Amino acid sequence: DAGVTQSPTHLIKTRGQQVTLRCSPKSGHDTVSWYQQALGQGPQFIFQYYEEEERQRGNFPDRFSGHQFPNYSSELNVNALLLGDSALYLCASSLRRGGLGTDTQYFGPGTRLTVL
Amino acid sequence: QQPVQSPQAVILREGEDAVINCSSSKALYSVHWYRQKHGEAPVFLMILLKGGEQKGHEKISASFNEKKQQSSLYLTASQLSYSGTYFCGTESNEKLTFGTGTRLTIIP
């Protein structure tokens, strides 16, 4: 049973560029959440996708956008990169509990983004 | 608002016990606990739901006080493999908000 996978593992960009990160959820899961984790901090919720729509969003600017595909995989796009966007980006998949809250989220290995 | 975890760091000898606390100012639907080792993804430990349902590893125990919006994770007879940073994630309105973490170091 494949777990959550993310690509690429590492990425180096310069300020102002755009980046796309990818995530494939665990088999059987239909919900994908994205988190940003700065060094020494806990993961910060960016947004969650279910049924190809953004369902929940954290306190992140519109430069952060996403997409979910019919096969439940997801992309995170960040435009106009800033130095402060350097972080580990984690994707977590889960099975939606139909309005009964968030079920167990399984995290992928993350993408380390460095903005120079 | 971010939940507050305590202690921020703890050092234990192998075999000793530890308690990690998580407190939120919001009404919670559930609390999720994860352990993250350096350079790795967070690994699920336990979820505690409003109403008493729990899911998690057999060797891990935790409590959830809904009225006080607090949760505690109990680590007994600690092993070297327990080292890492522990995060609680509090769920409100289907959003998970993670605390700043508790760094646990187990020494032989």
Side-chain angles (χ1 to χ4, degrees):
Chain A
D1 178 22
V4 180
T5 60
Q6 292 186 243
S7 63
T9 54
H10 295 86
L11 207 50
I12 299 175
K13 293 284 188 179
T14 56
R15 280 181 298 174
Q17 285 190 310
Q18 177 263 343
V19 68
T20 298
L21 310 181
R22 295 177 176 82
C23 171
S24 290
K26 183 177 167 65
S27 178
H29 285 182
D30 57 6
T31 301
V32 173
S33 302
W34 285 92
Y35 294 86
Q36 180 194 66
Q37 187 175 28
L39 206 58
Q41 301 295 316
Q44 299 292 309
F45 176 73
I46 303 175
F47 43 54
Q48 182 182 84
Y49 276 83
Y50 170 69
E51 289 185 340
E52 302 179 48
E53 288 190 18
E54 183 182 296
R55 299 293 177 171
Q56 296 286 348
R57 189 176 183 93
N59 294 325
F60 280 80
D62 292 344
R63 298 187 297 109
F64 289 77
S65 63
H67 188 78
Q68 185 180 36
F69 299 94
N71 66 353
Y72 307 120
S73 67
S74 177
E75 287 182 350
L76 164 66
N77 300 294
V78 187
N79 293 324
L81 284 167
L82 303 174
L83 295 179
D85 294 332
S86 294
L88 180 68
Y89 288 83
L90 294 163
C91 161
S93 75
S94 57
L95 186 60
R96 188 164 177 82
R97 288 166 57 92
L100 298 178
T102 299
D103 205 346
T104 304
Q105 294 193 4
Y106 292 88
F107 284 86
T111 294
R112 174 72 62 186
L113 173 65
T114 302
V115 182
L116 302 176
Chain B
Q1 283 177 334
Q2 198 171 31
V4 176
Q5 288 186 233
S6 63
Q8 291 184 337
V10 60
I11 300 174
L12 296 177
R13 290 199 177 275
E14 210 172 353
E16 291 182 336
D17 302 338
V19 180
I20 301 173
N21 301 302
C22 175
S23 180
S24 175
S25 58
K26 289 185 176 181
L28 303 176
Y29 185 85
S30 67
V31 179
H32 303 225
W33 285 96
Y34 288 83
R35 176 174 59 222
Q36 186 176 30
K37 294 184 182 284
H38 183 69
E40 300 180 8
V43 172
F44 168 74
L45 295 176
M46 176 159 284
I47 179 173
L48 302 103
L49 295 156
K50 192 175 178 178
E53 183 183 351
Q54 294 187 2
K55 287 196 299 184
H57 293 275
E58 292 179 358
K59 294 187 177 180
I60 301 284
S61 64
S63 64
F64 177 23
N65 187 322
E66 297 169 32
K67 287 185 179 179
K68 292 186 177 180
Q69 296 146 204
Q70 294 173 346
S71 178
S72 295
L73 185 71
Y74 306 98
L75 302 170
T76 57
S78 58
Q79 305 171 17
L80 292 175
S81 62
Y82 287 9
S83 291
T85 301
Y86 289 76
F87 292 102
C88 70
T90 53
E91 183 192 0
S92 183
N93 296 323
E94 298 194 31
K95 287 184 188 179
L96 265 190
T97 304
F98 284 91
T100 51
T102 296
R103 180 172 290 185
L104 176 64
T105 303
I106 310 294
I107 55 176

